[in-house]
Amino acid sequence: MANVEFHRGNAAILFAALGDPTRLSLLTTLSDGRERSISGLSVGTALTRQAVTKHLHVLEQAGLVRSAKVGRESHYAFQPDRIGEMRAYLDSVSRQWDDALARLRAFVEP
């Protein structure tokens, strides 16, 4: 996992990127570990290459995919470290809620 401190702003960017069904689908496709071109990611969808490119740029800005030039094409690959950072963030939020609920329970129950 990356040593970058995960702030709420980072979480917002990641969750916004994953909040779109098309981007989530692209990320799911790339999560098998294989790099794919924009053309390869467009096959079998109703999306244009331009639309796929737009969504991939959002995922790349969020750090969820990386791109590399291969000849005249850009190939995209999944970056799993960011998902680990999200999981750690959600675990932290979950602990905070558990603590708050325990305090409330202790206050309310005799």
Side-chain angles (χ1 to χ4, degrees):
M1 189 179 322
N3 287 334
V4 177
E5 190 173 333
F6 198 72
H7 297 286
R8 283 183 215 158
N10 291 338
I13 291 167
L14 288 168
F15 288 117
L18 293 175
D20 180 89
T22 300
R23 289 192 289 270
L24 189 56
S25 177
L26 288 168
L27 196 62
T28 299
T29 300
L30 289 169
S31 69
D32 68 2
R34 292 184 18 216
E35 288 188 6
R36 289 187 178 75
S37 67
I38 294 166
S39 298
L41 289 165
S42 301
V43 171
T45 71
L47 298 171
T48 64
R49 288 176 48 159
Q50 188 175 26
V52 170
T53 300
K54 177 185 141 194
H55 288 293
L56 287 169
H57 284 299
V58 172
L59 291 170
E60 188 171 25
Q61 288 175 341
L64 292 163
V65 299
R66 66 169 170 74
S67 65
K69 277 290 208 190
V70 178
R72 295 187 332 164
E73 292 186 323
S74 291
H75 284 214
Y76 288 82
F78 175 55
Q79 293 292 105
D81 289 350
R82 298 296 281 170
I83 299 298
E85 291 172 15
M86 290 175 72
R87 178 176 291 136
Y89 173 78
L90 289 173
D91 288 345
S92 171
V93 170
S94 178
R95 281 189 301 277
Q96 290 173 6
W97 275 103
D98 289 345
D99 292 346
L101 290 173
R103 288 190 307 274
L104 179 62
R105 187 176 298 118
F107 179 74
V108 173
E109 293 177 354

